[in-house]
Amino acid sequence: MTGGRRRSESSRLAILDAARDLLLERGYERLTIDAIAARAGVGKQTIYRWWGSKGAVVADAALEGGLAPPLVAPPDTGDIEADLRAWLRDWTSRLASGVGTSLILALTAATAEDHAVADVLYERFTAPHEQLLRDRLELARVAGQLGPQAPVPTIAGVLIGSLLYRVLSRQEPPTADDADLVVRVVLGGAGG
Amino acid sequence: MTGGRRRSESSRLAILDAARDLLLERGYERLTIDAIAARAGVGKQTIYRWWGSKGAVVADAALEGGLAPPLVAPPDTGDIEADLRAWLRDWTSRLASGVGTSLILALTAATAEDHAVADVLYERFTAPHEQLLRDRLELARVAGQLGPQAPVPTIAGVLIGSLLYRVLSRQEPPTADDADLVVRVVLGGAGG
Amino acid sequence: MTGGRRRSESSRLAILDAARDLLLERGYERLTIDAIAARAGVGKQTIYRWWGSKGAVVADAALEGGLAPPLVAPPDTGDIEADLRAWLRDWTSRLASGVGTSLILALTAATAEDHAVADVLYERFTAPHEQLLRDRLELARVAGQLGPQAPVPTIAGVLIGSLLYRVLSRQEPPTADDADLVVRVVLGGAGG
Amino acid sequence: MTGGRRRSESSRLAILDAARDLLLERGYERLTIDAIAARAGVGKQTIYRWWGSKGAVVADAALEGGLAPPLVAPPDTGDIEADLRAWLRDWTSRLASGVGTSLILALTAATAEDHAVADVLYERFTAPHEQLLRDRLELARVAGQLGPQAPVPTIAGVLIGSLLYRVLSRQEPPTADDADLVVRVVLGGAGG
DNA sequence: CCTTAAGCGAGACGGTACGTCTGGTCTTGAA
DNA sequence: TTCAAGACCAGACGTACCGTCTCGCTTAAGG
């Protein structure tokens, strides 16, 4: 009922670091558990004892391994257009760095291949970021900067989706100008 | 330099059919080349002779195997809002069927894993559909239904991206109401 | 540097048994590693981890799998002619059983195809049997039953070679009469 | 009932040459029909039209491709011992050259793996050589140089088997001295 | 001369087996 | 009880050959 050895924090971190590095070096489908274990100097069982599958390790590595961007809320200067622009520009610059693109591709592959991983990533990566965006939009709506009926979740989804589509379709990251245009369309509307 | 047996059209079609069926039955990550060959009654080498990877077969199966939706232009009734709504509702109903979702996930996984496949899919699937949308939008802009400076490519990207995001985030597939809201935001703007 | 699971003795024996059975059922050239693994209930890698080729497995199966005849010395009754006759008859009866012929053919194929296997078989199968024969001949020479200059290694080689030739050339196993004639020629000489 | 193109002699020879060269270069088990066809500049069907299997081509290549030693009878000087010595020395020198050893190994592998090939080789290679030897031995028996009851087939088999055993046991190829010892044992007997 | 039928080089075909790689589990001895 | 190490079963991978099957093109004989 009593003791036994405790989980090794250094092993946990070594695994996450190794997974992160290998993910960026080789991409999701060429990433192997054996390689993670070898690079981390860890037995494979130590990985499987704490994570259920390759996807779970990768998701965790992205989230805790210092890979994913920190959860930063859009600014709140009172000007929703300027704030969204700033937020979207922030993301485009991260994606332009290349690391961001690899990450999105890897996470997308993991999402598309493994339902369980998709859920984890949605809960701990996508949803929190989207929530921050929704919060800012809701603030703007209440402040009268958006129409009183403005469909906040739809707006958030449109903003994020436009980014995702650029990454997946072009393999060429979006620019700051793209960000500005998206904000203009979404807030101002395209109608004449 | 001359002779040699010709490529077997029946084998080509059998492979594409088998790939399509297995993709829908088992999903992309549980799809194997061995299974495709076995179901198609074909040697594995006949697959590898003509396609370079699993992703390439799947892409081809989607495009030529009757899996991908036909290339249908948005209607042109003169009312851009109604036409976009119809076009987006059409897509949401396809995605709601489940088949569409599996397909998008499979193609996304293939895109995220294999650069060459991404290029093929973009050229033969994404770009044509996007182009039809852009054409309709351009018509509307010229007709004065959009602002004269309306950034047509951005608008198209935003519309498609919103769909993609819904599928990948693995929430419920988008509904007709979602489609209407997206159109309202994109055309009418969220600003108040 | 320390740990690691130990080699599974039960797998080792299952592989050797399966190889032996399949060798006798199907012959050397129709024997496959896949079939050995399947029958032994073992992963293919477990075979390749410990043996380098099909020939190596077969050689080991013959030697340790209870397939090869046990290492039995020629009798020593004091009468070299009778003893050689008994020894040679023993071999011919084994070869006449059919099992022996298959085995010799399989081992010969392995020998002719794979130098490394040839070395192993020579050291662990051929040489020991030949040595026993040489020992008995040497005893006879010292006892004056052979000429004092009798070339023992040559005599041993001639006796064994005559057996081998019968197996390889006729595909019809030698008989006890053949054995007697060989002994008569080798000991008594053909000269008149 | 009418004409048709005749078999191409140049293709036949090209195939035999290619098979011979590849056999010596790579050994029997690494020899492929595809490689023979490619080197001979010939379609595979042209091989299969005239030979039934790889072994059949190899056997033919050895026999007609100028690979196997010509069928030379033992000399007949009247002295059977000297003649056998000459014959056996001739063979040992051929085997010592290395080409002979490769050939014997290849043919042995073919024999051990393919019953049909074994039959062809026995009829057209082994048996004719053995027959010449038997003829010379029979002459000697009639001439009184061997005992009147001398078992000529056994003697021939013993002589050939001793050579074969040396090659297959992969020790050094036999020497002229070995040849002399074998003749001495077989003719003079080992008994004291 | 013209048909007809076989042989030809080429190379794709359905298969089988290869030897390797990876996923996820199990075992060992040390900590 | 966890750890590093590493063997285990399972099964997909992509390649190599097998022997068969078209292709379109020579060749010859026979009409």
Side-chain angles (χ1 to χ4, degrees):
Chain A
M1 304 300 163
T2 59
R5 191 175 179 173
R6 299 306 157 77
R7 178 174 183 179
S8 162
E9 180 66 7
S10 65
S11 289
R12 195 185 129 261
L13 293 175
I15 290 165
L16 258 16
D17 286 353
R20 180 200 57 211
D21 294 348
L22 290 166
L23 181 66
L24 297 178
E25 281 174 25
R26 308 156 64 142
Y28 181 74
E29 92 277 15
R30 268 180 286 276
L31 176 64
T32 69
I33 292 284
D34 283 290
I36 295 174
R39 165 128 15 158
V42 137
K44 289 207 297 176
Q45 191 57 253
T46 301
I47 298 180
Y48 282 107
R49 203 182 340 259
W50 304 109
W51 290 273
S53 67
K54 183 172 80 166
V57 184
V58 169
D60 222 12
L63 296 169
E64 299 206 21
L67 191 59
L71 200 57
V72 175
D76 181 4
T77 64
D79 178 352
I80 183 64
E81 183 162 5
D83 291 349
L84 287 182
R85 221 173 346 233
W87 185 81
L88 223 50
R89 280 176 174 233
D90 191 27
W91 274 99
T92 56
S93 76
R94 267 198 287 262
L95 294 175
S97 77
V99 175
T101 298
S102 299
L103 176 65
I104 296 289
L105 286 174
L107 296 186
T108 302
T111 288
E113 285 191 358
D114 187 330
H115 206 108
V117 172
D119 291 344
V120 170
L121 284 175
Y122 181 73
E123 276 174 39
R124 295 179 52 203
F125 179 78
T126 314
H129 282 99
E130 185 177 355
Q131 191 58 49
L132 290 176
L133 184 57
R134 288 186 182 187
D135 290 346
R136 180 66 190 84
L137 287 166
E138 182 61 20
L139 232 53
R141 193 182 63 81
V142 170
Q145 294 184 317
L146 301 179
Q149 310 296 334
V152 164
T154 297
I155 298 169
V158 164
L159 288 168
I160 296 175
S162 69
L163 276 179
L164 185 60
Y165 179 57
R166 283 296 295 258
V167 170
L168 286 179
S169 67
R170 308 301 161 78
Q171 314 267 354
E172 184 175 290
T175 66
D177 283 351
D178 292 319
D180 293 351
L181 284 173
V182 166
V183 171
R184 180 180 131 200
V185 164
V186 169
L187 288 193
Chain B
M1 306 296 169
T2 54
R5 191 181 185 171
R6 299 310 156 85
R7 178 174 183 178
S8 163
E9 180 66 6
S10 65
S11 290
R12 197 188 126 258
L13 292 175
I15 290 164
L16 258 16
D17 285 355
R20 182 199 56 211
D21 294 348
L22 290 166
L23 180 66
L24 296 178
E25 281 174 25
R26 306 154 65 143
Y28 182 75
E29 89 273 17
R30 267 180 284 278
L31 177 64
T32 69
I33 295 282
D34 281 302
I36 295 174
R39 163 118 27 150
V42 138
K44 287 205 291 178
Q45 196 59 46
T46 300
I47 298 180
Y48 283 109
R49 192 167 8 244
W50 303 109
W51 291 276
S53 67
K54 186 172 75 166
V57 183
V58 168
D60 224 11
L63 296 169
E64 300 207 21
L67 193 59
L71 201 56
V72 175
D76 182 4
T77 66
D79 178 351
I80 182 65
E81 185 163 5
D83 291 349
L84 287 182
R85 208 150 24 210
W87 185 83
L88 221 52
R89 279 174 174 233
D90 191 27
W91 273 100
T92 57
S93 76
R94 268 199 288 261
L95 293 175
S97 77
V99 175
T101 299
S102 299
L103 176 65
I104 296 288
L105 286 173
L107 297 186
T108 303
T111 288
E113 284 188 359
D114 187 329
H115 205 105
V117 172
D119 291 345
V120 170
L121 283 175
Y122 182 73
E123 276 174 39
R124 294 179 50 204
F125 180 78
T126 315
H129 282 99
E130 185 178 354
Q131 190 57 50
L132 290 176
L133 184 57
R134 287 187 182 186
D135 290 345
R136 180 65 191 84
L137 288 166
E138 182 61 20
L139 232 54
R141 194 182 62 79
V142 169
Q145 295 184 315
L146 301 179
Q149 309 297 333
V152 163
T154 298
I155 298 169
V158 163
L159 288 167
I160 296 174
S162 69
L163 278 179
L164 185 60
Y165 178 57
R166 284 296 291 258
V167 171
L168 286 179
S169 64
R170 297 241 202 193
Q171 305 168 274
E172 299 298 302
T175 65
D177 283 350
D178 292 321
D180 293 350
L181 285 173
V182 167
V183 171
R184 181 179 131 201
V185 163
V186 169
L187 288 193
Chain C
M1 304 299 166
T2 52
R5 190 180 185 170
R6 298 311 156 85
R7 178 174 184 178
S8 161
E9 180 66 8
S10 65
S11 290
R12 195 187 128 258
L13 292 175
I15 290 165
L16 259 15
D17 285 355
R20 181 200 56 211
D21 294 349
L22 290 166
L23 181 66
L24 297 178
E25 281 175 24
R26 306 153 66 142
Y28 182 75
E29 90 273 19
R30 266 181 285 277
L31 176 64
T32 70
I33 295 282
D34 281 301
I36 295 174
R39 165 127 13 160
V42 137
K44 287 206 291 176
Q45 196 58 45
T46 300
I47 298 180
Y48 284 110
R49 203 186 335 266
W50 302 109
W51 292 275
S53 66
K54 186 171 77 165
V57 183
V58 169
D60 223 11
L63 296 170
E64 300 207 21
L67 194 59
L71 201 56
V72 175
D76 181 5
T77 64
D79 178 352
I80 183 64
E81 183 162 5
D83 291 349
L84 287 182
R85 207 151 23 211
W87 186 82
L88 222 51
R89 278 173 175 236
D90 190 28
W91 274 98
T92 57
S93 76
R94 267 199 288 261
L95 294 175
S97 76
V99 175
T101 299
S102 299
L103 177 66
I104 296 288
L105 286 173
L107 297 186
T108 303
T111 288
E113 284 188 358
D114 187 328
H115 205 109
V117 172
D119 290 345
V120 170
L121 283 175
Y122 182 73
E123 275 174 39
R124 294 179 49 204
F125 181 78
T126 315
H129 283 99
E130 185 176 354
Q131 190 58 48
L132 289 176
L133 184 57
R134 288 188 182 185
D135 290 345
R136 180 65 190 84
L137 287 167
E138 182 60 22
L139 232 54
R141 193 182 63 79
V142 169
Q145 295 184 315
L146 301 179
Q149 309 297 332
V152 163
T154 298
I155 298 168
V158 163
L159 287 168
I160 296 175
S162 70
L163 276 180
L164 185 60
Y165 179 58
R166 282 298 291 258
V167 171
L168 286 177
S169 67
R170 308 296 161 82
Q171 314 269 351
E172 185 177 291
T175 65
D177 283 351
D178 292 321
D180 292 351
L181 284 174
V182 167
V183 171
R184 180 178 131 201
V185 164
V186 169
L187 288 194
Chain D
M1 306 304 163
T2 58
R5 191 176 182 174
R6 296 312 159 83
R7 178 174 185 178
S8 162
E9 180 66 7
S10 65
S11 290
R12 196 187 129 260
L13 293 176
I15 290 165
L16 259 14
D17 285 355
R20 180 200 56 212
D21 294 348
L22 289 167
L23 181 66
L24 296 179
E25 280 174 26
R26 306 156 63 143
Y28 181 74
E29 92 277 15
R30 268 180 286 276
L31 176 64
T32 70
I33 293 284
D34 283 290
I36 295 174
R39 166 130 11 163
V42 137
K44 289 205 296 175
Q45 192 58 251
T46 301
I47 297 180
Y48 283 107
R49 205 185 334 265
W50 304 109
W51 291 274
S53 67
K54 184 172 80 167
V57 184
V58 169
D60 222 11
L63 296 168
E64 299 207 19
L67 193 58
L71 201 56
V72 175
D76 182 5
T77 64
D79 177 351
I80 183 63
E81 183 163 4
D83 291 349
L84 286 183
R85 223 177 339 237
W87 185 82
L88 222 51
R89 280 175 175 234
D90 190 27
W91 273 99
T92 57
S93 76
R94 267 199 287 262
L95 293 175
S97 76
V99 175
T101 298
S102 300
L103 177 65
I104 296 288
L105 286 173
L107 297 186
T108 303
T111 288
E113 286 192 355
D114 188 329
H115 205 106
V117 172
D119 291 345
V120 170
L121 284 175
Y122 181 73
E123 277 174 38
R124 295 180 49 206
F125 180 78
T126 315
H129 282 99
E130 185 177 352
Q131 191 57 49
L132 289 176
L133 184 57
R134 288 188 182 186
D135 290 347
R136 180 65 191 85
L137 287 167
E138 183 61 21
L139 233 54
R141 194 182 62 80
V142 170
Q145 294 184 317
L146 301 180
Q149 309 297 332
V152 163
T154 298
I155 298 169
V158 163
L159 287 168
I160 296 175
S162 69
L163 276 179
L164 186 59
Y165 179 58
R166 285 296 292 258
V167 171
L168 286 179
S169 64
R170 297 241 199 193
Q171 304 170 276
E172 297 299 303
T175 65
D177 282 351
D178 292 319
D180 293 352
L181 284 173
V182 168
V183 171
R184 180 179 131 201
V185 164
V186 169
L187 288 194

